[in-house]
Amino acid sequence: MSFIHIKKAWSLSQNDITGEREFIKRREILKKLASSSLVFAGSSFLPYSVYGSANSFYPPPVNKIYNVNRELTKEKYATTYTNFYEFGSNKNIWRKASKLKTKPWLLSIDGLVNKPLKIDINDLIKKIGGIEERVYRFRCVEAWSMTVPWAGFPLNKIISLVEPNSDARFVKFETFYNPDVAPGQKQKWYPWPYQEAITIEEATNELSFMATGIYGKELPNQNGAPFRLVLPWKYGFKSIKSIVKISFVKERPIGMWEKLAPKEYGFWANVNPNVSHPRWSQATEQQLGKEERIPTIIYNGYAEQVSDLYDNLQNKLKDKLFR
Ligand code: MTE
C-alpha cells in the first residue's frame, strides 16, 4: 500500500509456499460429500481439496449465479501471498497470523440500528441460515489479482437482522486490536485498528459478501479469519479482515489507508483501468501464479451489478470514485 514497493513480477518464492494440500480425486470428494448432511447444490467437481475442516458448515453449497470466466487461483498462492498489515508489511505473514485465536470470536453490531447484537460468529452463521460458496474476482490496488471461491453470506442478511434506522447512511467495519498477538500493531504510525466503510446502498448490493471461508474450508487466519468483508468490484483494501465490530453511522468514516494517504486511497476505491493510482497504472493486472498481465476491467467486471450505485455521483466525484 502506501509504503509498499510494487515488484514488477508477482514474487512468491518456492520457500514461501506451504505444501499444497493433496489433490483429491473426484470419487473421494463425492464419497465425502455423500456422508455429509449438507445438501451440495454445486458442480460435481471441486478443483480444490475439501479436507481439513472439522466445521459442519463446510464445504458449503455452491451458488452458481456467482461465477466468472477465469481460472481459479491456486489455493497455495491465495493463502500464502496475503496483505494483513497487523502481522507485518510483507506478503509472507501466514505463519505469524496463525497466532491469532479465532474461536470464540465475538462480533458486535451497533450504532443506528433497532436491534443491536453481540454474537459469536458461529451463532451468527446459524442465525442467518448457513453459508454458500461464490466465486469472485478480487483485484488489489497494487495491481495483482486472484479468482477464489469464498464461503459466507450476503452482508444484506446482517442488515435485515439488526434493522438500521433511517439516519444510518454508512456501515463501518473494524478489525481486532491486539498488539501482543499482531506485531504490526506495535507500529504506531498506522492508525489502528484497521477500519473501512461503505454506504448503506453498497452494503445492500447483492455482491457485498461476508466471507467465513475460502476453497471449501474455514478461512485461514492470514485471509482474515474468522470473518471478513469481500467487495469484488472495489480494490482489495476495502475488503477488511478479521472483523470484530460493525457500526451503522450517519457521517462518512475514514478508512485506515485513507487516513494515511488520502490522495492515493480514497473512500470509493472502485476498480477502473482508466484511472491510475498516482504512482502506477491500473490498466492491467497480474493474476497470482501467472506470468502474463491481463487487462483490468471497469468495476472489476461487475458493472452490471454495481454501476447503478454510482450513476448519480459520476459528475460530482469523477475519478474520486476510482481511487
Ligand atoms: N484487512 C486488515 N485488517 N488488514 C489488512 O492489512 N489488507 C487489505 C484487505 N484487508 C488488510 C485487510 C488489502 S490491501 C487487500 S489487497 C486484501 O485484504 C487482501 O486480501 P487477501 O490477503 O485475502 O488476498
Side-chain angles (χ1 to χ4, degrees):
M1 302 289 296
S2 79
F3 304 119
I4 296 172
H5 170 67
I6 306 287
K7 293 189 180 139
K8 281 202 183 61
W10 99 279
S11 55
L12 181 63
S13 81
Q14 272 313 106
N15 298 337
D16 293 340
I17 304 171
T18 33
E20 192 180 6
R21 283 177 205 280
E22 208 186 315
F23 179 72
I24 297 172
K25 291 189 203 81
R26 181 172 188 258
R27 213 171 355 137
E28 289 165 316
I29 292 169
L30 291 176
K31 213 161 65 188
K32 184 168 165 72
L33 291 174
S35 66
S36 128
S37 58
L38 281 167
V39 181
F40 185 67
S43 64
S44 59
F45 180 70
L46 290 172
Y48 49 86
S49 148
V50 294
Y51 282 169
S53 174
N55 187 314
S56 63
F57 298 121
Y58 296 90
V62 176
N63 185 337
K64 284 187 175 172
I65 293 170
Y66 300 99
N67 212 330
V68 296
N69 55 353
R70 273 188 196 171
E71 202 183 306
L72 282 189
T73 299
K74 283 205 171 85
E75 182 179 345
K76 67 181 174 186
Y77 297 143
T79 56
T80 56
Y81 186 89
T82 57
N83 270 335
F84 205 162
Y85 276 68
E86 284 80 345
F87 295 98
S89 54
N90 64 64
K91 304 286 188 266
N92 185 12
I93 53 76
W94 61 269
R95 281 185 204 87
K96 284 188 190 153
S98 67
K99 294 214 177 85
L100 180 68
K101 252 193 89 207
T102 60
K103 281 176 189 153
W105 189 272
L106 194 65
L107 169 72
S108 23
I109 313 178
D110 64 14
L112 304 169
V113 295
N114 296 331
K115 297 181 174 168
L117 201 59
K118 273 199 168 76
I119 191 168
D120 184 81
I121 181 65
N122 261 20
D123 295 335
L124 178 66
I125 295 175
K126 283 180 203 146
K127 209 174 166 80
I128 266 165
I131 54 173
E132 63 181 50
E133 178 172 293
R134 297 181 174 192
V135 175
Y136 278 166
R137 299 189 185 94
F138 189 92
R139 169 65 156 78
C140 178
V141 73
E142 298 160 350
W144 56 265
S145 67
M146 60 185 186
T147 304
V148 298
W150 299 105
F153 53 84
L155 173 55
N156 208 5
K157 294 215 174 176
I158 289 187
I159 296 178
S160 312
L161 264 188
V162 298
E163 299 176 7
N165 67 39
S166 57
D167 283 340
R169 293 183 48 223
F170 297 91
V171 190
K172 183 176 102 177
F173 303 84
E174 252 178 62
T175 298
F176 70 88
Y177 179 71
N178 186 353
D180 292 340
V181 177
Q185 292 182 326
K186 292 191 172 131
Q187 300 184 314
K188 299 289 180 213
W189 57 89
Y190 291 101
W192 307 113
Y194 200 106
Q195 184 174 300
E196 262 308 336
I198 52 178
T199 64
I200 285 271
E201 292 76 21
E202 290 176 322
T204 48
N205 184 276
E206 58 170 307
L207 292 178
S208 296
F209 200 60
M210 302 306 316
T212 58
I214 191 168
Y215 295 95
K217 291 164 283 201
E218 291 182 307
L219 280 172
N221 285 358
Q222 63 271 23
N223 291 103
F227 180 62
R228 72 174 295 175
L229 184 60
V230 179
L231 304 166
W233 74 99
K234 289 182 180 284
Y235 290 120
F237 69 90
K238 297 291 294 184
S239 292
I240 178 172
K241 298 179 170 180
S242 304
I243 295 165
V244 290
K245 189 169 170 181
I246 302 179
S247 309
F248 291 76
V249 297
K250 190 169 186 172
E251 305 298 332
R252 179 170 91 68
I254 301 178
M256 190 180 89
W257 291 110
E258 191 184 1
K259 260 184 212 154
L260 275 168
K263 296 209 169 91
E264 306 201 356
Y265 310 108
F267 170 72
W268 299 99
N270 294 317
V271 174
N272 187 337
N274 304 314
V275 178
S276 297
H277 182 278
R279 290 184 284 129
W280 60 85
S281 163
Q282 296 290 25
T284 62
E285 66 201 55
Q286 186 146 27
Q287 298 177 91
L288 297 187
K290 303 248 181 206
E291 287 299 320
E292 75 285 3
R293 300 187 72 85
I294 57 168
T296 286
I297 318 173
I298 184 125
Y299 296 116
N300 204 22
Y302 295 102
E304 198 185 315
Q305 291 91 338
V306 301
S307 62
D308 283 3
L309 290 168
Y310 309 107
D311 283 349
N312 304 335
L313 301 172
Q314 287 285 4
N315 289 335
K316 258 201 295 189
L317 295 167
K318 294 202 188 98
D319 59 356
K320 270 199 180 158
L321 277 174
F322 304 109
R323 189 166 284 158

